[in-house]
Amino acid sequence: MACRISELVLGCRDPEALARFWCEVLDFVVLDREGDGSIEIGPREGFGGPQPTIILSRRDAPEPGKPRLHIDVNATDREQDAELERLLKLGARPADIGQTGDEPWHVLADPEGNEFCLLRARLAPL
């Protein structure tokens, strides 16, 4: 195993309301609140466990032609740069969504253009 899904990122109009809903549905708790209004929810054990967390990211309106959900992955058996190289060889390609270049993650697109992020932290394999 080389990657695990660590976070699901869902664009939404009202992160607070959606956090309450999904916390009840999944028996999750709020793990973090960001200054931009995004909320991360997940299992009581926190990030990095067997279940991915969900980041509810404020979006006033869905972006045309883009799904409201994207996946974040973390390498499990190598560092981020080595995993980036592996993913690019598998057919992923860099995607520009307006990032500055200072982010600790890489935005990529799968062979069909679906965006996902490769995060820096390494997670233990399950």
Side-chain angles (χ1 to χ4, degrees):
M1 178 188 285
C3 275
R4 274 184 40 209
I5 295 173
S6 55
E7 301 169 354
L8 300 173
V9 181
L10 178 61
C12 60
R13 288 187 181 95
D14 188 347
E16 287 288 341
L18 223 47
R20 285 190 300 274
F21 172 80
W22 284 111
C23 282
E24 286 295 322
V25 169
L26 301 169
D27 192 29
F28 276 13
V29 296
V30 172
L31 299 173
D32 193 19
R33 283 185 164 80
E34 295 292 327
D36 65 358
S38 297
I39 299 173
E40 183 173 15
I41 64 172
R44 295 174 193 285
E45 307 82 56
F47 176 81
Q51 294 185 44
T53 62
I54 299 172
I55 296 177
L56 303 161
S57 178
R58 182 179 305 283
R59 300 283 181 267
D60 292 330
E63 296 175 48
K66 287 186 77 171
R68 295 181 73 186
L69 177 73
H70 81 257
I71 295 173
D72 287 349
V73 298
N74 288 75
T76 60
D77 60 355
R78 64 198 79 198
E79 295 303 318
Q80 184 188 42
D81 288 342
E83 185 61 7
L84 175 62
E85 184 178 324
R86 187 181 82 85
L87 295 174
L88 293 171
K89 286 179 183 174
L90 289 173
R93 61 186 187 282
D96 183 357
I97 60 168
Q99 60 269 39
T100 65
D102 293 328
E103 295 82 5
W105 61 81
H106 295 278
V107 182
L108 303 168
D110 70 15
E112 290 196 8
N114 299 301
E115 294 165 0
F116 67 100
C117 293
L118 172 62
L119 305 182
R120 179 175 293 165
R122 236 172 100 177
L123 296 178
L126 292 177

